[in-house]
Amino acid sequence: MTALSYAPGTVPGGPWATYLDQVERVRPYLGPLDRWIETLRRPKRCLVVDVPIEMDDGRVAHFEGFRVQHSLTRGPGKGGVRYHPDVTLEEVMALAAWMTIKNAAVNLPYGGAKGGVRCDPSALSMKELERVTRRYTSEIGLVIGPQVDIPAPDVNTNAQVMAWMMDTYSMNVGATATGVVTGKPIALGGSLGRVKATGRGVFVVGREAARRTGQPIEGARVAIQGFGNVGSAAAELYAAHGAKVIAVQDSSGTVLDEHGLDVRALAAHVEARGGVAGFAGADAIGAEDFWRMESDVLIPAALEGVLNAERARALRTRMVLEGANGPTLPEADAILNERGILVVPDVIANAGGVTVSYFEWVQDFSSFFWTEEEINARLDKILIGAFGRVWSDSEKHRIALRTAAFVVACERVLSARELRGLYP
Ligand code: NAD
């Protein structure tokens, strides 16, 4: 087999290496489908684009943009777009691959894709951000479309960015194409419930996991890293169901209140000040202390690779509920497993966002919109069903939930591959 020049081992311990390690663990359970495994180890298509824009001061700046379609076997590509100074092709490849697994684990009719622009959005004006978004969309316009690949928000992108993407794509094709992106504003064909869907899914799946392990939500101590779209919505639901959100860490700092933080007040503070640092009524603690505090549920909801071996050894929690994509490194996974700490994997725990994105896409096609109650009820049903299947497979094979989720997903992707056969 010819090796890929940019693939395995390019960045040891990086997200693509983590993904490959996860796929490797599935092999013993694939039976004859194992002959197709290589298709999961190779992204179908990687597009790297130059994104030149004129800055407000007249300079010309160039940004690197990516769109990776890891798999289109089960349907169009689907996955978010990230704006971050650390975005690399390798990271986007891993995030796209996790979307393949996630969409299959939840049984949505999609393949997996992801995009990103290597930029620091906090250093850009609104107009510059709009120009980056429009040029990036135009450049990846070659490979996206309502039936082809449908982007959505991820870290540092939001409904406004999706509105610009939808408009740019629509202008280029000469027709308003609402179904080209999801996570849009409601006024442009967005779905009720989408903004909080990922955080809601984190809570719903966390509650299912707690039910099966006999842990009550009432009074549970919850620690959360990341207080953006995912972390803040999950925090709100845990608090609303009687849990105590005792610690929150974001890129500005870490705050702690053993009696439970006032989540709404914290959200207002973050809205006004841009981060949790300086929140009155809570203690500031060191960044590393966050990983050593006692909790019942720890929710990483920021970036990937944060849970390393050292932190996994130090953790004093009962459950790691992955809001972020890929927060746990393979060596940490093994340690947590040994220590009997339940890890509820990202591909199920944070699948709420893409599930409501799917609802948005369906609503855009039918031009008929559902109520928020309908959205939430359908979301809960899909996630509870998907988690139940993963839980029972994990019991059947006596394997970790992550491996079980990968087994369910890889079986679906590879069976579809086998049925389709190879072209030509
Ligand atoms: P966001 O931009 O809204 O929030 C990110 C949060 O992480 C912020 O609070 C930020 O301060 C914090 N953060 C960033 N770097 C940090 C660091 N070094 N240390 C501590 N905190 C840090 O992003 P989001 O949409 O909430 O996404 C968070 C994670 O969830 C990402 O891994 C993303 O891929 C994943 N995810 C998001 C969605 C979605 O619908 N938004 C869906 C599935 C998965």
Side-chain angles (χ1 to χ4, degrees):
M1 192 80 61
T2 330
L4 294 174
S5 63
Y6 52 80
T10 313
V11 182
W16 182 247
T18 296
Y19 163 74
L20 290 178
D21 183 274
Q22 293 163 346
V23 167
E24 201 53 35
R25 280 162 207 269
V26 174
R27 295 191 78 158
Y29 308 96
L30 287 180
L33 288 174
D34 185 57
R35 70 185 283 253
W36 296 104
I37 191 93
E38 192 62 18
T39 57
L40 292 171
R41 302 166 138 274
R42 296 176 175 246
K44 177 180 175 62
R45 186 178 287 146
C46 300
L47 180 63
V48 182
V49 295
D50 177 33
V51 182
I53 66 152
E54 200 168 324
M55 303 294 275
D56 293 345
D57 64 7
R59 278 180 308 123
V60 176
H62 289 257
F63 300 92
E64 245 179 284
F66 308 96
R67 186 73 189 170
V68 173
Q69 293 165 347
H70 172 261
S71 168
L72 302 179
T73 302
R74 298 180 67 253
K78 186 91 194 81
V81 173
R82 174 174 295 195
Y83 288 177
H84 197 279
D86 298 337
V87 164
T88 60
L89 175 61
E90 198 221 80
E91 180 188 53
V92 180
M93 277 164 55
L95 291 167
W98 283 320
M99 288 309 299
T100 301
I101 302 297
K102 187 183 306 182
N103 292 330
V106 184
N107 214 1
L108 304 179
Y110 291 132
K114 202 84 178 191
V117 178
R118 197 174 165 86
C119 68
D120 178 4
S122 66
L124 297 173
S125 71
M126 271 300 259
K127 282 287 162 204
E128 289 166 345
L129 196 65
E130 179 175 350
R131 288 196 284 271
V132 165
T133 302
R134 288 189 181 279
R135 184 60 191 249
Y136 167 69
T137 308
S138 231
E139 293 296 337
I140 65 163
L142 295 167
V143 297
I144 63 169
Q147 306 282 7
V148 187
D149 179 4
I150 307 110
D154 190 64
V155 174
N156 291 328
T157 58
N158 56 21
Q160 177 60 73
V161 172
M162 294 305 114
W164 291 327
M165 289 190 78
M166 185 279 254
D167 184 69
T168 305
Y169 180 85
S170 297
M171 288 299 120
N172 285 346
V173 299
T176 295
T178 53
V180 67
V181 288
T182 57
K184 298 181 295 293
I186 303 291
L188 293 177
S191 178
L192 294 168
R194 173 61 184 90
V195 174
K196 298 203 169 171
T198 306
R200 182 181 176 86
V202 169
F203 171 73
V204 168
V205 171
R207 187 177 55 187
E208 283 301 296
R211 191 170 65 76
R212 285 186 163 78
T213 52
Q215 289 185 48
I217 298 291
E218 181 87 36
R221 293 159 58 88
V222 182
I224 306 182
Q225 188 201 36
F227 202 70
N229 177 285
V230 179
S232 65
E236 206 178 284
L237 276 166
Y238 266 101
H241 287 79
K244 286 191 288 189
V245 178
I246 52 164
V248 171
Q249 175 174 92
D250 72 1
S251 43
S252 73
T254 311
V255 292
L256 167 79
D257 183 349
E258 289 285 350
H259 304 292
L261 293 154
D262 179 340
V263 171
R264 285 213 169 154
L266 183 61
H269 174 88
V270 171
E271 177 82 32
R273 304 272 293 275
V276 300
F279 178 57
D283 297 324
I285 59 166
E288 248 353 90
D289 294 336
F290 174 84
W291 303 100
R292 292 191 210 108
M293 46 186 322
E294 213 176 317
S295 66
D296 296 300
V297 186
L298 182 127
I299 308 177
L303 297 174
E304 64 269 4
V306 293
L307 244 173
N308 55 24
E310 196 187 329
R311 287 173 177 170
R313 276 187 219 102
L315 278 197
R316 290 193 295 154
T317 191
R318 297 166 73 175
M319 183 196 301
V320 173
L321 179 57
E322 295 185 338
N325 284 310
T328 310
L329 294 172
E331 59 268 29
D333 239 352
I335 293 167
L336 294 171
N337 210 11
E338 256 166 47
R339 293 189 56 207
I341 296 173
L342 184 69
V343 179
V344 186
D346 47 6
V347 290
I348 291 289
N350 71 27
V354 70
T355 304
V356 176
S357 272
Y358 164 58
F359 297 161
E360 178 176 334
W361 184 71
V362 169
Q363 292 171 88
D364 286 339
F365 276 124
S366 61
S367 299
F368 180 78
F369 291 85
W370 312 341
T371 64
E372 191 159 357
E373 290 70 37
E374 283 173 297
I375 303 274
N376 287 342
R378 287 177 199 258
L379 171 62
D380 294 3
K381 192 171 170 211
I382 287 183
L383 290 183
I384 290 169
F387 180 77
R389 167 75 199 271
V390 168
W391 183 272
S392 61
D393 271 35
S394 114
E395 286 196 321
K396 186 169 86 189
H397 297 302
R398 295 170 183 274
I399 50 179
L401 285 177
R402 188 187 315 283
T403 310
F406 268 67
V407 171
V408 171
C410 293
E411 275 175 4
R412 286 185 179 140
V413 177
L414 299 182
S415 308
R417 181 71 275 151
E418 181 155 271
L419 286 165
R420 287 181 68 158
L422 289 180
Y423 175 87

